[in-house]
Amino acid sequence: PLDQAPVQRITLIQIADNAHHYVWSHHHILLDGWSGPLLFKELFGFYEAFRRGGDLNLPKPRPFADYIAWLGRQDMEKAEAFWRDCLKGLAAPTPLPEDRSGEPRHLRGDRFEQRHVQLSETVTTALNGLVRRQQITLNTLVQGAWALLLSQYCDLDDVCFGTLVSGRTPELDGIEHMVGLFINTLPVRVRVPQDAALIPWLKGIHAQQSEMRQYEYSPLVQVQGWSDIKRSLPMFESLVVFENYPGGKDPSQAGRGQSGGKFKRTRSPKERTNYPLAILAGPGKELLLRATFDRTRFDPDAIRRVLEHLAVICNAIAADPDRQLGDLGILSPAERQRVLVDWNETRVDFGGPECAHQLVEGQARQRGAAVALTFDTETLSYAELERRANCLAHHLHGLGVRVETPVGLCLERGPQAIIGLLGILKAGGVYLPLDPNYPGERLKYMVEDARPAVILSQESLRARLPEGPVVVSVDGDAAAIAAQPDTPLTSGVAGGNLAYIIYTSGSTGKPKGAMLSYKNIRAEAASVVERLELDTSTTLLYYL
């Protein structure tokens, strides 16, 4: 608690005769990252002066109270108008990539972890040159890269994340030398139109950031109140921080003396925010991208991939900034190979014929007496199933059914439905299932859309069928069908021909017909046999 001492601790630990660890820990409310180098510069300056037996007189910095007074003079009405306009229409926080929130997690040790990637010196040099030429900042570029990544992960063209602003207004003289907590966390809303050119888009983000600086004193809790996001929801869950403190990468060297005394400042890896994912960028010869994340929300491997994807975007910007946003992908060459090539290497040589009905023919030749299907008390062998399907195929052929001729099948469940399906395929036709329980309007639409030449049905269902196609009744025309040859028909159909049209539910509009080829059905049949480990002793329940 802040009302109980201590809010900071200083410990000196001797680790050797001439080596000590100086440990300083403190609550973040005392000072921000900018203040640290200022204090260390003074600390090492006094150390050197005292070690030499002298003294050090430093100018007195402006008191923090002046900043508090400045905050009290700011126009909150103007700030409200700015933020309401900026956040208008934003009603929900942007989802985080690979978030596993809601899953029970039992963790040992610290809840937060860190991962990092470093861009190469070549890429970093190219990015620094780009931002100088375009008169933007490296911070703007990193924010743009994160916006692009969120947009691609979430498939959104409007994203929001948080950023840390220094809060050190140029209106107060000497504020760059003041010590205290000046930082503020504010939302960054970025629209990501895929057809936008990268450089003008980045300049737009930079201009937005410049305008926001006029109102960076706004408390985040009030900013959320001026938005459409409910109080019960976080305004954003990811934070982008660009660390650019005074004094360089190793500010302790500013107080280093001439007598050989050496000091090394080590920042604690236990810095925390209340956000589940924080992306920190640090300038240098090799741009550092570091993620601090909540292990209850993310797997370390997932965060590693997030950082790699962010690096891919930065590398692409460095390689060719004259491109559109939609051309900036997130996959590394290895991932692209895996997704586009390795995972799509699904070719399987199932052997045998390309068409499923030819498999039935093979079973009829090899084991004709074996049971092919059973329904109630009726049982058909493979030989009988093959014979009856052949007769029907010849009958359909006589009615003009050829390769890729749509044939509707509207039958009650039973062996005749299986015979009808095989007969259509053997004739080379395209199987179009017409469920007799469908509403008349739906059956009418499907028939008008697919335009079957023939509908295979039964006498009891004739009244439900739309007008137009020739109707073959499996019971009314049974004698004519039985009079046909019972040998296989040579239809000329091949695996690449259309075999099956199945209509969607139509829940999003009118039903749409999805089309499958003969080899698609053959592959699916072979896949089911392999996946379920079926053999000649297996009985399979089939619901047609």
Side-chain angles (χ1 to χ4, degrees), residues 439-507:
E441 282 299 314
R442 180 179 171 95
L443 290 174
K444 182 173 183 289
Y445 169 78
M446 292 168 66
V447 168
E448 289 177 350
D449 189 58
R451 292 178 291 180
V454 178
I455 295 180
L456 193 60
S457 188
Q458 58 197 70
E459 292 300 315
S460 61
L461 299 175
R462 273 185 178 272
R464 292 190 53 75
L465 300 177
E467 296 181 358
V470 174
V471 176
V472 174
S473 173
V474 295
D475 45 5
D477 298 321
I481 295 171
Q484 297 293 328
D486 61 3
T487 55
L489 173 70
T490 304
S491 65
V493 72
N497 291 124
L498 183 61
Y500 181 25
I501 301 175
I502 180 69
Y503 275 79
T504 62
S505 65
S507 58

Side-chain angles (χ1 to χ4, degrees), residues 393-407 427-429 453-454 470 472:
H394 281 282
H395 187 76
L396 293 173
H397 185 77
L399 294 174
V401 175
R402 299 292 187 271
V403 174
E404 296 194 347
T405 301
V407 178
V454 178
V470 174
V472 174

Side-chain angles (χ1 to χ4, degrees), residues 21 89 171 175 183 212 240 255 345 430 459 473 482 501 519 533:
H21 275 175
E171 293 182 22
I175 196 171
I183 60 170
M212 186 184 74
V240 177
E345 186 53 56
V430 179
E459 292 300 315
S473 173
I501 301 175
K519 63 182 179 182
E533 299 180 355

